Amino acid sequence: MPLIQRALQLNDYELTFKHVETPAALRAILTGGDWDLIAGSAATLLLEENRRTTALNRIEHSIAATLNLPTVLSRLAQQTRECFDADESNIYLPDADERSLRMISARRGTTQIIESTGLPLEADIIRHVVRSGKSVFIPENGDETLAHSLPGTSQPPGTLICAPLMINNQIIGLMALTRYTSATPFTQTDLNLLSELAPQAAVAIRNAQLYSAEQQRTSELADALARQNELAQHKDQFIQNISHELRTPIAIARGYAELLDNGSLGDLQPDQQEPAAIVARRLRMLSSLVSDINTIFEVESQRRSFTDVDITALANNAVSDFKTLAKNAKITLTANITTAPLLVSGDPIQLRRALDNLMINALKFTPEGGSITVHLKKESANAVLEVIDTGVGIPEDKLGRIFERFYQVEVAMSRRHGGSGLGLSLVKQIVESHNGTIEVESAPGAGSTFKITLPLLTEASQSSLKPNHTTTRAGD
Ligand code: ADP
């Protein structure tokens, strides 16, 4: 025994223990006396095992480096076949219907990956591994029935190793390596190495499966969004066509209704006056609705001619234009407007329309005795225009929606005041097409403040510095 110990010290015998699995077997070989042979086979085994471990590491890195499922599977099959010098390396996964198996197979002599589907789940060897959750090693002259039951192989294996692909104790598939001839049969070491690789392989496959499911969902969502956009475009086109076609007949009808109403076509009978007034009023509303719709599409399609617009003049004009309306509604209208001209680049008609809509709303939603203030000032490089009212206000949960097309907080109330729910969406669209922003602060009973911020023209970009300059006085 001391002799054996010395021999163990002189040679790297931890390797020998891997080669010979029990102390009794080691003793039997040692007492056989062929010491050189033992040291030799140990060293060979070490080299072989190192080579395999390095190869396994390479496989693990290679399959973890991609999330593309077909690439993961083909790399795994191909590289494992090479590493184990197998005739076939097969990966089995459940088919989409979960009732059969699909196989991804790499075979000796070809770089092509073979794929089969519809393979039986009930094959003996599959059942065996799934039930036990353990790897199987069928050595040369092993259980032939079990070996031959491996589905999808091109030749019955002479020897095989098969390991489950498991994640959290759940089998997601199997890997099987076969050699047709038993010239160099698999060993227990081969099975150990395959069992070491299997968990990493399972993780790589599961990650790629999750990624591909996510990709699928993303592409379905993108398709749905594209379909929705297409439908929205059709709808917009439809509304645009209708409103365009309605514009002229409504303008004509409105013109005649107003002539009737104001007596230009002769005096009306007392019982005709009210109906004529209603027709004229309704046609005015209809005409304003159609005109709002047309403006929305005009702003969208960027049909605009921008020039230098003085917002100070625009705000002053609006206040003076609304004076009478406010007085009639018994509302105090105040201007708190800077005296300095504030120039922005824009479409004067659209900008005036935006301010008009805010003023109309302030008037509509402010009861008698209330007040409206138009406030304009320069704030750093912006013109900040506010329309502040002391009206009914807007509930907090509705504030996010009032800029949507056709949205009205309280339909019954809005109907009483007239309006289509297009006004604010139009204001927002106009302001944003001028690179500005619109914000609102409001609370029920506490009034509302609509704040428009527009970027001022820098001195260098003002057309006043260019030849043929015209500055539009908004509202002129
Ligand atoms: P409408 O044609 O109904 O006025 P808008 O798009 O201009 O449509 O406004 C949408 C809704 O926002 C209005 O129906 C109203 O409920 C609310 N709203 C707008 N401005 C005010 C305001 N100044 N005070 C209270 N509510 C307002």
Side-chain angles (χ1 to χ4, degrees):
M1 205 54 183
L3 250 178
I4 294 173
Q5 274 172 344
R6 249 189 66 211
L8 287 171
Q9 280 162 4
L10 287 174
N11 296 279
D12 192 359
Y13 273 99
E14 58 179 336
L15 307 168
T16 311
F17 286 112
K18 287 185 185 171
H19 180 56
V20 181
E21 282 168 358
T22 62
L26 174 65
R27 204 171 301 122
I29 293 172
L30 288 175
T31 50
D34 199 352
W35 296 58
D36 283 343
L37 180 69
I38 293 164
S41 16
T44 316
L45 191 67
L46 172 70
L47 283 177
E48 175 59 11
E49 210 175 309
N50 271 347
R51 190 186 68 76
R52 291 282 201 85
T53 312
T54 315
L56 281 194
N57 283 340
R58 252 206 313 273
I59 298 176
E60 283 167 19
H61 279 116
S62 156
I63 57 176
T66 173
L67 282 172
N68 180 291
L69 187 58
T71 312
V72 169
L73 294 173
S74 61
R75 280 186 188 173
L76 182 63
Q78 200 90 56
Q79 295 175 9
T80 319
R81 195 207 65 70
E82 281 163 23
C83 172
F84 285 84
D85 193 29
D87 286 312
E88 282 188 24
S89 165
N90 300 343
I91 301 161
Y92 297 93
L93 297 172
D95 261 332
D97 62 3
E98 305 261 329
R99 294 204 181 140
S100 53
L101 289 174
R102 66 186 269 247
M103 180 191 75
I104 297 89
S105 174
R107 292 180 182 171
R108 193 189 292 282
T110 173
T111 52
Q112 219 187 326
I113 293 289
I114 290 132
E115 282 214 48
S116 316
T117 51
L119 300 175
L121 258 173
E122 318 74 44
D124 282 354
I125 188 156
I126 306 286
R127 275 219 305 259
H128 182 85
V129 176
V130 169
R131 260 196 218 133
S132 67
K134 297 219 169 78
S135 305
V136 169
F137 168 32
I138 302 182
E140 187 187 14
N141 306 322
D143 185 340
E144 228 176 55
T145 329
L146 207 55
H148 290 190
S149 73
L150 191 70
T153 51
S154 64
Q155 276 187 46
T159 169
L160 79 77
I161 49 179
C162 178
L165 296 167
M166 287 176 94
I167 288 183
N168 298 335
N169 287 332
Q170 240 201 330
I171 298 184
I172 64 155
L174 286 95
M175 279 186 80
L177 297 170
T178 72
R179 285 183 188 153
Y180 305 142
T181 60
S182 43
T184 43
F186 286 123
T187 63
Q188 182 65 38
T189 314
D190 290 320
L191 184 70
N192 294 346
L193 282 173
L194 181 64
S195 306
E196 231 175 80
L197 172 68
Q200 314 297 330
V203 169
I205 292 174
R206 175 43 54 91
N207 285 345
Q209 283 172 333
L210 291 175
Y211 181 71
S212 109
E214 203 52 49
Q215 294 277 88
Q216 171 84 12
R217 258 198 301 278
T218 311
S219 107
E220 279 169 11
L221 275 179
D223 285 352
L225 199 64
R227 267 201 307 279
Q228 211 176 15
N229 283 342
E230 207 180 312
L231 285 176
Q233 265 172 20
H234 285 318
K235 188 196 73 193
D236 282 359
Q237 190 62 52
F238 177 73
I239 296 175
Q240 202 172 356
N241 291 347
I242 297 270
S243 65
H244 187 77
E245 291 304 316
L246 284 176
R247 191 156 38 187
T248 313
I250 288 177
I252 294 169
R254 178 186 163 185
Y256 281 117
E258 275 172 358
L259 289 177
L260 263 181
D261 184 36
N262 63 26
S264 302
L265 297 180
D267 288 342
L268 296 176
Q269 300 294 326
D271 57 347
Q272 292 172 328
Q273 281 169 1
E274 201 193 339
I278 293 173
V279 171
R281 197 168 61 241
R282 291 292 168 171
L283 282 171
R284 270 196 299 277
M285 280 169 59
L286 205 52
S287 152
S288 138
L289 168 65
V290 168
S291 149
D292 275 356
I293 294 175
N294 281 311
T295 312
I296 283 178
F297 289 110
E298 262 169 40
V299 179
E300 246 173 27
S301 61
Q302 304 282 308
R303 257 185 275 135
R304 59 186 187 181
S305 48
F306 274 16
T307 147
D308 297 358
V309 183
D310 179 7
I311 298 293
T312 308
L314 182 138
N316 278 320
N317 286 336
V319 171
S320 101
D321 290 354
F322 275 87
K323 271 239 141 77
T324 315
L325 278 175
K327 198 171 159 208
N328 291 345
K330 299 192 173 60
I331 292 169
T332 316
L333 176 58
T334 314
N336 181 358
I337 295 171
T338 173
T339 49
L342 296 180
L343 291 189
V344 304
S345 168
D347 179 328
I349 296 174
Q350 284 182 5
L351 286 171
R352 176 59 204 263
R353 193 173 191 120
L355 180 54
D356 280 359
N357 280 0
L358 293 185
M359 303 279 289
I360 290 167
N361 278 348
L363 277 173
K364 269 196 307 198
F365 297 104
T366 304
E368 268 185 35
S371 70
I372 298 171
T373 308
V374 176
H375 188 198
L376 175 69
K377 62 178 173 188
K378 180 175 183 262
E379 225 175 65
S380 56
N382 296 309
V384 176
L385 178 63
E386 288 173 317
V387 177
I388 306 158
D389 68 52
T390 57
V392 296
I394 303 161
E396 202 188 335
D397 61 326
K398 305 290 192 303
L399 284 177
R401 300 207 57 194
I402 54 172
F403 295 101
E404 288 173 16
R405 281 180 194 169
F406 299 109
Y407 184 81
Q408 297 185 308
V409 173
E410 253 181 74
V411 176
M413 190 170 87
S414 304
R415 290 273 168 267
R416 202 167 64 234
H417 293 287
S420 57
L422 277 179
L424 285 180
S425 79
L426 187 56
V427 176
K428 184 168 190 277
Q429 221 176 336
I430 293 174
V431 169
E432 286 177 353
S433 79
H434 285 77
N435 299 322
T437 56
I438 177 154
E439 292 159 65
V440 57
E441 261 180 43
S442 186
S448 310
T449 298
F450 285 85
K451 175 176 162 187
I452 291 177
T453 306
L454 291 167
L456 287 170
L457 271 175
T458 55
E459 292 232 331
S461 60
Q462 286 174 26
S463 13
S464 52
L465 300 177
K466 297 172 200 152
N468 302 328
H469 146 73
T470 50
T471 295
T472 308
R473 303 242 139 224
D476 287 356

